[in-house]
Amino acid sequence: MPFLYSLLAACALVALAPWLAWQALRHGKYRHRWRERFGTLPPDVAGAAGPTLWLHAVSVGEVLSAVPLVAALRRDHPDWRIVVSTTTRTGREMARARLTGAAGVFYFPLDFAWIVRRVLRHVRPSLLIVVETEIWPNVLRLCRDQGIGVLLVNARISDRSYPRYRWVRGLLAPVLARFDRLCAQSQTTADRLLALGAPADRVVVTGSLKYDVPADLPPGVAAVAACLEGVPVLLAASTLKGEDEILIETFRQLRISLPEARLVLAPRHPERFDSVTLLAERTGLRVVRRTALEATGAPPFDILVLDTIGELAALCAQATVVFVGGSLVPAGGHNILEPARYARPIVVGPSMSNFAEIAGAFLDAGALVQVSDPDAARRELLALFADPARRQRLGDAARGVLDRHRGAVERTMREIADVMQVRSGALRSADAGVTR
């Protein structure tokens, strides 16, 4: 089985090579520190005497979910080294900025046995924690063979992904059995893991770590927030292609009744910063990029394009109404908990499969406005600006849902402690400086 999997993975890599090369040339993807993906890692992640925990978080959303977990690990296990891997560059930048307790950050390796072995020799982890749903057979097999504990935390299997996993259930079951613990966000995901063949005694519902992510104020955000103080603000968060036009047109209509209003446009992906800026400039309104504020101070603007990573959550505090993107196009939606943390009214489109359980909890509590199409989104956003009492009700309800669902971090920490106890022999070996 490992040979067949590696052969198929190699074929897939060869088949994807032209597309990967195009992405690297056109958008600069995958070029940054590419050697790390082949197991050549920076010195600061090298294993040392004492236990090392390797945490893997694919991109921005997973890194943010891991923030309270890493803080709890640092609190309860200050002697542990924590190193973090990501798959995307934006995830890596976010990990550098937000996971300050980590000793080092690197790109997750390609899942070939010879590469994974190099990484394990370099990092020498005693425990691997994977955030959400990353299932890499060779990584799991080699960790298991070397006595390294492995947990899947904040696990989520979306409605869109589940049918695909069912097609390969027979292959997936033995891979899932290599996890020491599978910590699911919801009972729905737990049931799906069990149906896919995960051992029943290793699946537990711990809740979503996203509910426990703390609010913070990254350096420089205060100055941006001051530019938005005292004016109506429409925050278009994590937008994807096809949504920016809708939000810009909505904003143009909003300005008819509220000429002092501002639009904060936050594209999800950095490679779209330039194109979204050009799109906004075509309106004839005053447009400024967030990074330009550092060089020019605070020039007057109508539209602010947020072309930075890690500041969006904090700017939710300045919003009057928040639209969360990835939901008017069939992409599964993005995180609605960040505006909820500041008790802001939230509008989303019909596509929320990536956050189905969370969106369902908000809808049940009357804490979310979900619309069916762009026209309905425009109507609801404009109506909310005209109705402060409704905005207050929605915002308070959103914050209430957030508060009621906290506690996933401590439940997850208990599962980590159980695995650590079982793997205590491996931890003692690491503490003695034994090389695997």
Side-chain angles (χ1 to χ4, degrees):
M1 181 68 70
F3 173 77
L4 178 60
Y5 165 75
S6 295
L7 179 62
L8 292 173
C11 292
L13 184 61
V14 171
L16 288 171
W19 181 83
L20 295 171
W22 168 250
Q23 291 292 313
L25 293 172
R26 179 69 177 84
H27 300 298
K29 287 186 174 183
Y30 313 116
R31 291 189 298 177
H32 184 246
R33 294 181 175 268
W34 62 269
R35 290 181 178 85
E36 292 181 9
R37 302 185 193 272
F38 289 87
T40 302
L41 304 185
D44 59 1
V45 302
T52 293
L53 185 151
W54 172 11
L55 184 141
H56 176 57
V58 177
S59 193
V60 172
E62 291 80 5
V63 169
L64 289 174
S65 297
V67 168
L69 182 62
V70 169
L73 288 164
R74 297 297 299 155
R75 177 198 69 203
D76 294 352
H77 306 286
D79 57 321
W80 278 64
R81 293 179 69 254
I82 300 174
V83 298
V84 178
S85 64
T86 70
T87 300
T88 68
R89 183 169 182 173
T90 52
R92 183 193 178 102
E93 292 170 356
M94 182 66 75
R96 286 284 187 192
R98 296 294 302 273
L99 300 181
T100 54
V105 180
F106 62 102
Y107 284 120
F108 191 77
L110 296 174
D111 195 36
F112 294 98
W114 64 274
I115 297 176
V116 176
R117 289 192 186 98
R118 290 182 67 182
V119 171
L120 294 179
R121 283 196 300 267
H122 191 76
V123 176
R124 292 173 50 209
S126 298
L127 201 65
L128 169 63
I129 295 179
V130 181
V131 181
E132 296 208 8
T133 314
E134 284 282 288
I135 302 171
W136 295 104
N138 278 328
V139 169
L140 296 174
R141 175 175 63 84
L142 291 170
C143 283
R144 192 78 174 180
D145 290 348
Q146 296 188 26
I148 300 165
V150 186
L151 294 95
L152 183 66
V153 305
N154 214 42
R156 174 180 61 86
I157 299 179
S158 68
D159 294 342
R160 185 170 54 176
S161 300
Y162 184 51
R164 295 198 295 268
Y165 283 131
R166 291 186 64 183
W167 276 102
V168 292
R169 181 191 181 283
L171 300 175
L172 199 56
V175 178
L176 292 174
R178 294 190 174 114
F179 284 102
D180 292 274
R181 197 75 84 250
L182 299 106
C183 302
Q185 290 188 23
S186 67
Q187 188 61 51
T188 298
T189 288
D191 291 342
R192 288 173 176 176
L193 287 168
L194 293 170
L196 293 172
D201 60 342
R202 300 182 199 173
V203 178
V204 60
V205 178
T206 51
S208 174
L209 296 174
K210 288 182 170 69
Y211 285 106
D212 290 347
V213 175
D216 71 342
L217 192 67
V221 168
V224 182
C227 299
L228 301 169
E229 195 71 39
V231 297
V233 176
L234 171 57
L235 173 56
S238 300
T239 59
L240 298 183
K241 185 176 181 181
E243 294 179 321
D244 305 285
E245 297 89 343
I246 299 164
L247 274 299
I248 290 172
E249 179 55 33
T250 300
F251 177 65
R252 286 167 60 91
Q253 293 185 31
L254 177 64
R255 295 264 297 186
I256 296 172
S257 58
L258 293 172
E260 73 278 19
R262 302 288 183 270
L263 170 65
V264 177
L265 200 51
R268 177 70 173 180
H269 300 121
E271 60 266 25
R272 297 186 59 245
F273 290 160
D274 291 342
S275 61
V276 170
T277 300
L278 289 173
L279 185 67
E281 288 174 341
R282 292 193 191 112
T283 64
L285 297 171
R286 296 171 298 178
V287 179
V288 66
R289 292 173 69 140
R290 159 68 181 95
T291 50
L293 292 179
E294 298 175 351
T296 61
F301 63 84
D302 304 306
I303 300 176
L304 175 67
V305 177
L306 191 65
D307 60 344
T308 55
I309 302 299
E311 296 184 334
L312 174 59
L315 287 179
C316 288
Q318 304 304 314
T320 306
V321 180
V322 179
F323 171 82
V324 177
S327 59
L328 278 176
V329 293
H334 295 307
N335 190 1
I336 61 175
L337 297 178
E338 292 168 347
R341 196 163 290 113
Y342 296 98
R344 295 299 183 256
I346 308 160
V347 178
V348 297
S351 180
M352 288 295 292
S353 59
N354 289 338
F355 292 85
E357 290 91 354
I358 292 175
F362 273 67
L363 288 168
D364 290 344
L368 179 68
V369 177
Q370 186 168 31
V371 299
S372 58
D373 55 54
D375 288 338
R378 188 177 300 113
R379 287 194 302 270
E380 288 290 351
L381 289 168
L382 294 174
L384 280 169
F385 274 94
D387 193 341
R390 187 180 176 216
R391 292 201 306 269
Q392 185 71 45
R393 288 195 302 272
L394 283 164
D396 290 345
R399 179 59 195 238
V401 174
L402 184 78
D403 290 341
R404 288 193 297 274
H405 285 79
R406 291 184 185 276
V409 167
E410 297 309 320
R411 289 188 288 270
T412 303
M413 287 294 293
R414 288 195 289 271
E415 300 304 322
I416 292 172
D418 286 348
V419 172
M420 288 168 61
Q421 182 67 30
V422 172
R423 297 285 180 175
S424 58
L427 302 187
R428 284 195 294 271
S429 296
D431 195 42
V434 176
T435 302
R436 294 189 180 90

